[in-house]
Amino acid sequence: GLMGSSLSLIIRIQLSHPGGSFLKNESLYNVVVTTHALVMIFFAVMPLLIGAFGNWLLPLCIGGCDLIFPRLNNLSFWLAPNALYLLILSFMTEKGAGTGWTIYPPLSSGLYHTGPAVDILITSLHLIGLSSLLGSINFVSTNKNMPTVKMKGEKSELYLWSITVTGVLLIISVPVLAGGITMLLFDRN
């Protein structure tokens, strides 16, 4: 969160004056915007709102002591710092990955980014996507299999429904994201 906020501050300083001269290079501005967006979406908002609160509140709401697959939860947790390390590495590799948070071509193609920064970024997104997928599988299966009889189905709390629906949406959307960035990786290489 601190890294994403500091990158946001750099963006605000650059945009504070017309023709801002804080960042001397336009491509560096694109790298800062890309890294800020990906850090805030995949490494701050999703892990905090879904992962942290889900791990803490889901067992409390269903009357359990932990999630149903603690080792899967542990793997999901430890994939996230490694993915963040790769994202930071892509920021510092050569000129960085200045593709925008959507990573759309042509900016992400080999024509504009010939170095390995975008490849490292895509690997980072694969790892954080796998982390989200594993956590979502754990949340959905825990909410389905562990609650007491009084808390099953429509009797459960609204927060449990929100975690379950978000988990199902992540299970559906993360493989699509992985397929898209894998095709982009194949196109680049």
Side-chain angles (χ1 to χ4, degrees), residues 43-58:
F43 295 97
V45 173
M46 289 297 293
L48 285 176
L49 293 181
I50 303 303
F53 283 118
N55 280 315
W56 177 50
L57 289 174
L58 187 71

PDB file of all heavy atoms in Angstrom, residues 43-58:
ATOM      1  N   PHE A  43      -2.189  -6.024  -5.404  1.00  0.00           N
ATOM      2  CA  PHE A  43      -1.384  -6.257  -4.207  1.00  0.00           C
ATOM      3  C   PHE A  43      -1.848  -5.465  -2.993  1.00  0.00           C
ATOM      4  O   PHE A  43      -1.302  -5.633  -1.915  1.00  0.00           O
ATOM      5  CB  PHE A  43       0.085  -5.939  -4.500  1.00  0.00           C
ATOM      6  CG  PHE A  43       0.680  -6.855  -5.519  1.00  0.00           C
ATOM      7  CD1 PHE A  43       0.751  -6.480  -6.845  1.00  0.00           C
ATOM      8  CD2 PHE A  43       1.148  -8.099  -5.164  1.00  0.00           C
ATOM      9  CE1 PHE A  43       1.276  -7.317  -7.796  1.00  0.00           C
ATOM     10  CE2 PHE A  43       1.680  -8.950  -6.104  1.00  0.00           C
ATOM     11  CZ  PHE A  43       1.746  -8.563  -7.422  1.00  0.00           C
ATOM     12  N   ALA A  44      -2.814  -4.576  -3.143  1.00  0.00           N
ATOM     13  CA  ALA A  44      -3.329  -3.841  -1.986  1.00  0.00           C
ATOM     14  C   ALA A  44      -4.813  -4.107  -1.797  1.00  0.00           C
ATOM     15  O   ALA A  44      -5.227  -4.638  -0.764  1.00  0.00           O
ATOM     16  CB  ALA A  44      -3.064  -2.343  -2.145  1.00  0.00           C
ATOM     17  N   VAL A  45      -5.638  -3.784  -2.768  1.00  0.00           N
ATOM     18  CA  VAL A  45      -7.087  -3.893  -2.601  1.00  0.00           C
ATOM     19  C   VAL A  45      -7.529  -5.352  -2.513  1.00  0.00           C
ATOM     20  O   VAL A  45      -8.224  -5.738  -1.563  1.00  0.00           O
ATOM     21  CB  VAL A  45      -7.815  -3.162  -3.753  1.00  0.00           C
ATOM     22  CG1 VAL A  45      -9.305  -3.396  -3.691  1.00  0.00           C
ATOM     23  CG2 VAL A  45      -7.511  -1.678  -3.694  1.00  0.00           C
ATOM     24  N   MET A  46      -7.149  -6.160  -3.485  1.00  0.00           N
ATOM     25  CA  MET A  46      -7.599  -7.556  -3.482  1.00  0.00           C
ATOM     26  C   MET A  46      -7.079  -8.337  -2.269  1.00  0.00           C
ATOM     27  O   MET A  46      -7.868  -8.988  -1.592  1.00  0.00           O
ATOM     28  CB  MET A  46      -7.191  -8.250  -4.786  1.00  0.00           C
ATOM     29  CG  MET A  46      -7.963  -7.793  -5.990  1.00  0.00           C
ATOM     30  SD  MET A  46      -9.719  -8.165  -5.886  1.00  0.00           S
ATOM     31  CE  MET A  46      -9.693  -9.930  -5.960  1.00  0.00           C
ATOM     32  N   PRO A  47      -5.790  -8.306  -1.962  1.00  0.00           N
ATOM     33  CA  PRO A  47      -5.348  -9.071  -0.787  1.00  0.00           C
ATOM     34  C   PRO A  47      -5.922  -8.552   0.535  1.00  0.00           C
ATOM     35  O   PRO A  47      -6.194  -9.346   1.430  1.00  0.00           O
ATOM     36  CB  PRO A  47      -3.824  -8.923  -0.806  1.00  0.00           C
ATOM     37  CG  PRO A  47      -3.491  -8.635  -2.203  1.00  0.00           C
ATOM     38  CD  PRO A  47      -4.640  -7.826  -2.729  1.00  0.00           C
ATOM     39  N   LEU A  48      -6.109  -7.242   0.653  1.00  0.00           N
ATOM     40  CA  LEU A  48      -6.636  -6.722   1.916  1.00  0.00           C
ATOM     41  C   LEU A  48      -8.128  -6.971   2.064  1.00  0.00           C
ATOM     42  O   LEU A  48      -8.576  -7.487   3.091  1.00  0.00           O
ATOM     43  CB  LEU A  48      -6.340  -5.227   2.044  1.00  0.00           C
ATOM     44  CG  LEU A  48      -4.904  -4.872   2.372  1.00  0.00           C
ATOM     45  CD1 LEU A  48      -4.719  -3.364   2.366  1.00  0.00           C
ATOM     46  CD2 LEU A  48      -4.502  -5.445   3.706  1.00  0.00           C
ATOM     47  N   LEU A  49      -8.904  -6.589   1.060  1.00  0.00           N
ATOM     48  CA  LEU A  49     -10.356  -6.699   1.192  1.00  0.00           C
ATOM     49  C   LEU A  49     -10.852  -8.137   1.102  1.00  0.00           C
ATOM     50  O   LEU A  49     -11.804  -8.501   1.775  1.00  0.00           O
ATOM     51  CB  LEU A  49     -11.046  -5.837   0.137  1.00  0.00           C
ATOM     52  CG  LEU A  49     -10.859  -4.329   0.302  1.00  0.00           C
ATOM     53  CD1 LEU A  49     -11.611  -3.587  -0.783  1.00  0.00           C
ATOM     54  CD2 LEU A  49     -11.319  -3.879   1.672  1.00  0.00           C
ATOM     55  N   ILE A  50     -10.242  -8.933   0.263  1.00  0.00           N
ATOM     56  CA  ILE A  50     -10.701 -10.312   0.112  1.00  0.00           C
ATOM     57  C   ILE A  50      -9.866 -11.254   0.978  1.00  0.00           C
ATOM     58  O   ILE A  50     -10.380 -11.966   1.830  1.00  0.00           O
ATOM     59  CB  ILE A  50     -10.643 -10.751  -1.371  1.00  0.00           C
ATOM     60  CG1 ILE A  50     -11.463  -9.818  -2.244  1.00  0.00           C
ATOM     61  CG2 ILE A  50     -11.115 -12.186  -1.534  1.00  0.00           C
ATOM     62  CD1 ILE A  50     -12.911  -9.685  -1.840  1.00  0.00           C
ATOM     63  N   GLY A  51      -8.558 -11.244   0.776  1.00  0.00           N
ATOM     64  CA  GLY A  51      -7.692 -12.199   1.468  1.00  0.00           C
ATOM     65  C   GLY A  51      -7.636 -12.015   2.967  1.00  0.00           C
ATOM     66  O   GLY A  51      -7.935 -12.928   3.741  1.00  0.00           O
ATOM     67  N   ALA A  52      -7.271 -10.825   3.417  1.00  0.00           N
ATOM     68  CA  ALA A  52      -7.069 -10.610   4.855  1.00  0.00           C
ATOM     69  C   ALA A  52      -8.383 -10.681   5.625  1.00  0.00           C
ATOM     70  O   ALA A  52      -8.500 -11.416   6.604  1.00  0.00           O
ATOM     71  CB  ALA A  52      -6.383  -9.265   5.084  1.00  0.00           C
ATOM     72  N   PHE A  53      -9.389  -9.923   5.164  1.00  0.00           N
ATOM     73  CA  PHE A  53     -10.665  -9.955   5.871  1.00  0.00           C
ATOM     74  C   PHE A  53     -11.350 -11.306   5.725  1.00  0.00           C
ATOM     75  O   PHE A  53     -12.033 -11.768   6.634  1.00  0.00           O
ATOM     76  CB  PHE A  53     -11.572  -8.822   5.394  1.00  0.00           C
ATOM     77  CG  PHE A  53     -11.199  -7.495   5.958  1.00  0.00           C
ATOM     78  CD1 PHE A  53     -10.800  -6.464   5.132  1.00  0.00           C
ATOM     79  CD2 PHE A  53     -11.221  -7.280   7.325  1.00  0.00           C
ATOM     80  CE1 PHE A  53     -10.450  -5.239   5.661  1.00  0.00           C
ATOM     81  CE2 PHE A  53     -10.869  -6.052   7.857  1.00  0.00           C
ATOM     82  CZ  PHE A  53     -10.482  -5.027   7.023  1.00  0.00           C
ATOM     83  N   GLY A  54     -11.184 -11.956   4.575  1.00  0.00           N
ATOM     84  CA  GLY A  54     -11.765 -13.286   4.403  1.00  0.00           C
ATOM     85  C   GLY A  54     -11.143 -14.301   5.333  1.00  0.00           C
ATOM     86  O   GLY A  54     -11.846 -15.099   5.960  1.00  0.00           O
ATOM     87  N   ASN A  55      -9.826 -14.291   5.447  1.00  0.00           N
ATOM     88  CA  ASN A  55      -9.146 -15.223   6.344  1.00  0.00           C
ATOM     89  C   ASN A  55      -9.490 -14.974   7.801  1.00  0.00           C
ATOM     90  O   ASN A  55      -9.492 -15.886   8.612  1.00  0.00           O
ATOM     91  CB  ASN A  55      -7.623 -15.124   6.170  1.00  0.00           C
ATOM     92  CG  ASN A  55      -7.146 -15.891   4.979  1.00  0.00           C
ATOM     93  OD1 ASN A  55      -7.563 -17.016   4.759  1.00  0.00           O
ATOM     94  ND2 ASN A  55      -6.297 -15.280   4.184  1.00  0.00           N
ATOM     95  N   TRP A  56      -9.755 -13.729   8.130  1.00  0.00           N
ATOM     96  CA  TRP A  56     -10.035 -13.386   9.517  1.00  0.00           C
ATOM     97  C   TRP A  56     -11.511 -13.581   9.862  1.00  0.00           C
ATOM     98  O   TRP A  56     -11.854 -14.170  10.887  1.00  0.00           O
ATOM     99  CB  TRP A  56      -9.605 -11.944   9.766  1.00  0.00           C
ATOM    100  CG  TRP A  56      -9.904 -11.430  11.124  1.00  0.00           C
ATOM    101  CD1 TRP A  56      -9.605 -12.023  12.327  1.00  0.00           C
ATOM    102  CD2 TRP A  56     -10.561 -10.205  11.444  1.00  0.00           C
ATOM    103  NE1 TRP A  56     -10.031 -11.241  13.359  1.00  0.00           N
ATOM    104  CE2 TRP A  56     -10.618 -10.113  12.844  1.00  0.00           C
ATOM    105  CE3 TRP A  56     -11.081  -9.172  10.671  1.00  0.00           C
ATOM    106  CZ2 TRP A  56     -11.192  -9.038  13.496  1.00  0.00           C
ATOM    107  CZ3 TRP A  56     -11.646  -8.100  11.321  1.00  0.00           C
ATOM    108  CH2 TRP A  56     -11.697  -8.040  12.714  1.00  0.00           C
ATOM    109  N   LEU A  57     -12.408 -13.093   8.998  1.00  0.00           N
ATOM    110  CA  LEU A  57     -13.829 -13.080   9.338  1.00  0.00           C
ATOM    111  C   LEU A  57     -14.590 -14.330   8.921  1.00  0.00           C
ATOM    112  O   LEU A  57     -15.574 -14.685   9.572  1.00  0.00           O
ATOM    113  CB  LEU A  57     -14.498 -11.853   8.719  1.00  0.00           C
ATOM    114  CG  LEU A  57     -14.130 -10.520   9.357  1.00  0.00           C
ATOM    115  CD1 LEU A  57     -14.728  -9.373   8.562  1.00  0.00           C
ATOM    116  CD2 LEU A  57     -14.600 -10.472  10.789  1.00  0.00           C
ATOM    117  N   LEU A  58     -14.196 -14.984   7.861  1.00  0.00           N
ATOM    118  CA  LEU A  58     -14.939 -16.159   7.397  1.00  0.00           C
ATOM    119  C   LEU A  58     -15.002 -17.251   8.461  1.00  0.00           C
ATOM    120  O   LEU A  58     -16.094 -17.740   8.772  1.00  0.00           O
ATOM    121  CB  LEU A  58     -14.353 -16.672   6.082  1.00  0.00           C
ATOM    122  CG  LEU A  58     -15.117 -17.780   5.393  1.00  0.00           C
ATOM    123  CD1 LEU A  58     -16.422 -17.239   4.824  1.00  0.00           C
ATOM    124  CD2 LEU A  58     -14.296 -18.378   4.285  1.00  0.00           C
TER     125      LEU A  58
END
